[in-house]
Amino acid sequence: MDRYEQVTELARRRGYMWPAFELYGGAAGFYDYGPLGARLKRRIEDTWRSFFVVREGFSEIDCPTIGVEEIFKASGHLSGFSDPLTECKECKEIYRADHLIKHIIEVPDALSDQEIYRVIQDNDVGCPECGGRLSEVYEFNLMFRTAIGPGNKYPGYLRPETAQGMFINFQRLLRYHRDALPFGAVQIGRSYRNEISPRQGVIRLREFTQAEAEVFIDPRDKTHPRFCEVEELILTLYSRQGQEMGQTERMTIGEAVDKGIIAHQMLAYYVARTYQFLRAAGVAEDRLRFRQHKADEMAHYAADCWDAEVLLDRLGWIEVVGVADRTDYDLRSHMAQSQANLKVFVNYKQPERRRVVRIKPDMKALGPRFKGQAKAVAQALQAMDPADLKESGESVTVHVDGQKLFIEANLIAVEEVEEEVRGEEIVPHVIEPSFGIDRIIYSVLEHAYREEMVDEESRIVLGLLPGIAPVDVAVLPLMDREELTGPACQIVDEFRRMGMIVDYDTSGSIGRRYRRNDEVGTPFCVTVDYETLEEGTVTIRDRDSMKQIRVGVQALGETISALIGKRMTLDEASAALSQGS
RNA sequence: GCGCCGAUAGUGUAGCGGUUAUCACUAGGCGUUGCCAACGCCUAAACUCGGGUUCGAAUCCCGAUCGGCGCACCA
């Protein structure tokens, strides 16, 4: 049994996660989070919030998971997210139809499915495997399609990423941020991709949770004001160059930027924060690296892209986060699709005086002559180069609505004015750290899992970090007797009032209960025994070291809370208490 | 989507045409038990689904679903 199996078995057995719809035979690519898993997920998401919403000051929004068609036309998911497929009628092999005619047509991407099929037929293209006849070409799109309202007139799509929510709300977000760059918006939520063949448990899902941040920045300045906070951090980098040699390097963030390995501070800063977040969630240092996208795997618009990859036992290195400089691609796409202005007006430090050449059509003359077309004519004239205009002599030719129009030069004034320019409109660039929450959850579980021998018995421990582990503390009466369960219940009550998640367990021997809590990852157990009645003390038992310390009941809540919050170690707690007594 | 392999209590399993469906762990109850999976007694709990062959199917056949591996796919 390998580690993947051990972890998924434990996860299923103990209520972390399991395949969804089991009652009805299941459906590939869907998972449920059980009682512990849902809590772990929430805690990981909250840790993410503490990094990106609290510490970076980004604004969290929450958008519909269904989107209208225009969004995905603009984002490219409608065209680029689907492939034309064809199937061999003999051997049932599936092929990318456009790939089969590459040698015949130079740009098969430009053809429709019917056109591709016609090329296949005209050129007698057969199955590369068996030579059999190929089926008609059909589109397989990775988006789930649905209908908004009755009928099929108004298609909707389940979003394939949360990012579009931030892009299409850019104007409102900009306004909310008082019209100034930089600012960040984030969203944690479900996304959907109708994968052809989901596998590997929670690693490739059809419905999954993303946490994405879109940081809108001024493209002319990709430094980060808080870069000094992270420049000393040492990360394992697997750069483009390193990949050619198959070598990773340990390097500070500052050095990586200085050497030009990471494109700029802005990107490097979020790579560093990503590292810190993953460590805080419980990803192991020695099973984490940052891999740079090679030029050919990066989206064409991206300037640079680094994936956080996690080493898993069976699956190898798996991408859990992507941090990309997406430049102005997304905003420009939505500008083109929506005709809205998604630019930011940026003031210059000093207003500049500039001589500007203005083209002024004589609207008094053009209006009556062209009527409804007049506006378009004026725009066409103003779009011309003033230099060309001057050289064009008696009349100027413009094309409007496919018509060729001649306009006398004396109806067009070209004047040079000096004006004050206070700033300019720019399209922000976007830095996008995008996190796959489900993959992170699985990685955290696998990295936390260990088996160790204790007195010739093997012990399974989920070494989840305190604060991340779904149960904060277990309260265990040594025996299931009223004189012990009474005080124990009071302790449970106190912990709960303090906001902790508590497990209370009286069943079986104390050793069995310790092991059970080890297996689900509860970091601390509090045991109520007969000394509790006599001395007013309880023991705190540490999951990882199995050490115990005795603590007075009155200091218990504070001590446990400090241990979970990592404001105190077990040794410090022990020392403080022995000093106090 | 294709090919190969598999699917039995919560978990891991035995079974190879006729069994009360095996065993262990787990879980629950009672007793016992004074800190690391103790013990005794009792209890609960399963043949993935649908069709077929047969007097009779967990077992053989077909299909579906799910899972593993390989191929393909993976903005």
Side-chain angles (χ1 to χ4, degrees):
Chain A
M1 202 156 71
D2 65 12
R3 185 54 50 89
Y4 174 83
E5 238 175 306
Q6 291 170 319
V7 172
T8 49
E9 194 236 295
L10 184 146
R12 205 172 337 141
R13 197 158 38 83
R14 291 304 201 171
Y16 273 98
M17 56 175 89
W18 52 70
F21 321 129
E22 275 182 307
L23 187 62
Y24 293 110
F30 298 96
Y31 262 72
D32 291 329
Y33 287 98
L36 293 179
R39 210 136 64 203
L40 176 65
K41 182 170 184 242
R42 174 132 299 150
R43 289 191 158 183
I44 285 178
E45 287 170 0
D46 282 342
T47 303
W48 192 89
R49 281 191 179 91
S50 78
F51 271 81
F52 292 94
V53 178
V54 179
R55 287 183 58 190
E56 298 301 316
F58 295 162
S59 312
E60 181 170 355
I61 61 172
D62 193 349
C63 304
T65 55
I66 292 178
V68 299
E69 190 159 47
E70 288 82 354
I71 300 173
F72 306 112
K73 276 188 187 161
S75 70
H77 286 103
L78 259 178
S79 52
F81 216 53
S82 75
D83 298 319
L85 299 182
T86 182
E87 182 181 330
C88 171
K89 289 176 177 173
E90 312 295 326
C91 70
K92 303 293 175 198
E93 190 63 62
I94 305 277
Y95 299 97
R96 281 282 295 271
D98 52 338
H99 288 180
L100 294 179
I101 57 168
K102 258 186 189 159
H103 60 286
I104 303 164
I105 306 283
E106 277 195 25
V107 236
D109 303 16
L111 301 183
S112 72
D113 295 346
Q114 288 85 345
E115 286 166 336
I116 295 174
Y117 186 52
R118 195 171 313 133
V119 173
I120 288 175
Q121 286 181 311
D122 292 351
N123 294 275
D124 275 327
V125 177
C127 170
E129 285 292 315
C130 72
R133 290 174 55 81
L134 295 168
S135 76
E136 272 190 46
V137 175
Y138 59 95
E139 282 293 306
F140 186 83
N141 190 282
L142 254 33
M143 278 194 297
F144 284 100
R145 192 185 152 101
T146 185
I148 300 176
N152 276 319
K153 280 194 176 158
Y154 195 9
Y157 297 88
L158 271 67
R159 64 181 179 194
E161 59 176 21
T162 62
Q164 297 305 324
M166 274 75 86
F167 297 135
I168 63 178
N169 283 296
F170 177 75
Q171 287 175 312
R172 289 204 182 278
L173 290 167
L174 177 65
R175 190 89 189 127
Y176 174 82
H177 290 273
R178 296 192 296 276
D179 293 316
L181 294 177
F183 69 86
V186 313
Q187 191 167 192
I188 301 178
R190 304 259 186 175
S191 294
Y192 304 81
R193 295 176 192 184
N194 202 359
E195 298 282 353
I196 297 173
S197 121
R199 293 236 181 119
Q200 307 172 319
V202 94
I203 300 302
R204 191 114 149 261
L205 292 170
R206 290 192 165 119
E207 171 170 345
F208 55 101
T209 298
Q210 290 185 303
E212 293 191 295
E214 309 298 330
V215 190
F216 298 97
I217 60 164
D218 186 328
R220 297 163 303 184
D221 180 12
K222 293 192 177 178
T223 62
H224 195 290
R226 286 163 65 198
F227 190 68
C228 57
E229 289 177 27
V230 298
E231 65 185 342
E232 300 296 322
L233 268 184
I234 298 171
L235 269 59
T236 304
L237 298 182
Y238 197 33
S239 68
R240 222 167 271 161
Q241 219 173 18
Q243 288 166 60
E244 275 163 30
M245 300 179 293
Q247 268 183 347
T248 60
E249 294 173 90
R250 301 273 297 160
M251 191 182 294
T252 66
I253 281 284
E255 195 183 344
V257 173
D258 288 344
K259 287 186 173 167
I261 295 172
I262 301 181
H264 46 76
Q265 282 190 6
M266 212 27 110
L267 197 63
Y269 178 83
Y270 294 109
V271 167
R273 291 300 184 206
T274 296
Y275 167 83
Q276 290 176 318
F277 162 74
L278 289 173
R279 294 286 294 132
V283 170
E285 166 81 45
D286 59 351
R287 282 176 266 178
L288 171 61
R289 72 180 184 192
F290 286 84
R291 190 181 70 83
Q292 186 173 34
H293 276 208
K294 284 178 264 175
D296 60 343
E297 73 182 299
M298 204 156 53
H300 63 274
Y301 49 82
D304 192 11
C305 184
W306 288 78
D307 285 347
E309 294 186 327
V310 155
L311 183 61
L312 297 177
D313 188 54
R314 183 194 290 186
L315 310 170
W317 288 98
I318 294 287
E319 172 194 351
V320 296
V321 185
V323 187
D325 179 348
R326 300 179 61 101
T327 68
D328 56 10
Y329 174 81
D330 304 278
L331 289 177
R332 283 199 186 279
S333 302
H334 283 295
M335 267 197 282
Q337 178 73 33
S338 66
Q339 302 292 309
N341 177 20
L342 305 182
K343 294 177 183 167
V344 182
F345 186 83
V346 182
N347 283 301
Y348 294 137
K349 279 178 192 143
Q350 295 288 324
E352 290 176 12
R353 298 199 74 79
R354 244 185 241 168
R355 297 197 68 78
V356 188
V357 181
R358 279 273 172 80
I359 298 173
K360 280 193 163 174
D362 182 351
M363 292 312 284
K364 265 187 196 149
L366 296 180
R369 192 191 312 174
F370 293 107
K371 305 218 159 53
Q373 279 187 316
K375 200 178 178 189
V377 171
Q379 279 174 350
L381 288 169
Q382 281 168 328
M384 293 180 72
D385 189 328
D388 292 348
L389 207 58
K390 277 183 177 165
E391 286 165 19
S392 58
E394 290 291 295
S395 87
V396 175
T397 315
V398 290
H399 296 266
V400 174
D401 295 336
Q403 281 177 283
K404 216 171 182 185
L405 303 171
F406 300 96
I407 293 142
E408 294 83 343
N410 60 12
L411 294 181
I412 308 159
V414 179
E415 54 188 38
E416 214 173 293
V417 290
E418 186 172 357
E419 60 178 28
E420 196 177 66
V421 184
R422 302 197 156 268
E424 65 186 294
E425 281 193 314
I426 58 165
V427 183
H429 278 202
V430 172
I431 309 296
E432 178 191 77
S434 169
F435 294 68
I437 295 295
D438 312 88
R439 291 181 172 190
I440 291 170
I441 290 171
Y442 177 77
S443 306
V444 164
L445 287 175
E446 191 180 298
H447 287 188
Y449 185 98
R450 64 176 193 267
E451 274 181 52
E452 50 189 39
M453 295 307 286
V454 178
D455 300 331
E456 292 174 35
E457 297 263 20
S458 87
R459 166 175 101 120
I460 294 172
V461 186
L462 262 195
L464 297 170
L465 294 170
I468 296 288
V471 178
D472 291 309
V473 57
V475 176
L476 314 172
L478 189 61
M479 315 281 292
D480 188 10
R481 286 185 189 151
E482 230 171 89
E483 62 266 37
L484 297 179
T485 57
C489 286
Q490 282 179 13
I491 291 169
V492 169
D493 206 47
E494 189 200 338
F495 284 164
R496 288 186 173 153
R497 272 204 302 266
M498 292 174 73
M500 289 188 258
I501 300 291
V502 188
D503 191 45
Y504 172 74
D505 188 358
T506 60
S507 73
S509 74
I510 188 68
R512 177 185 292 275
R513 283 177 277 162
Y514 285 152
R515 293 302 163 86
R516 194 154 41 199
N517 277 287
D518 290 341
E519 202 182 48
V520 298
T522 308
F524 303 104
C525 293
V526 167
T527 306
V528 174
D529 56 20
Y530 285 93
E531 279 181 59
T532 311
L533 306 182
E534 288 154 21
E535 320 263 339
T537 60
V538 295
T539 62
I540 297 175
R541 182 256 192 192
D542 175 54
R543 175 195 67 204
D544 295 326
S545 63
M546 295 169 61
K547 274 199 226 157
Q548 296 191 14
I549 60 171
R550 284 208 84 86
V551 179
V553 173
Q554 75 292 336
L556 180 61
E558 205 37 58
T559 308
I560 288 288
S561 151
L563 286 169
I564 291 166
K566 282 168 275 187
R567 297 189 299 278
M568 196 189 264
T569 65
L570 196 76
D571 288 341
E572 284 162 6
S574 176
L577 291 160
S578 56
Q579 233 172 26
S581 62

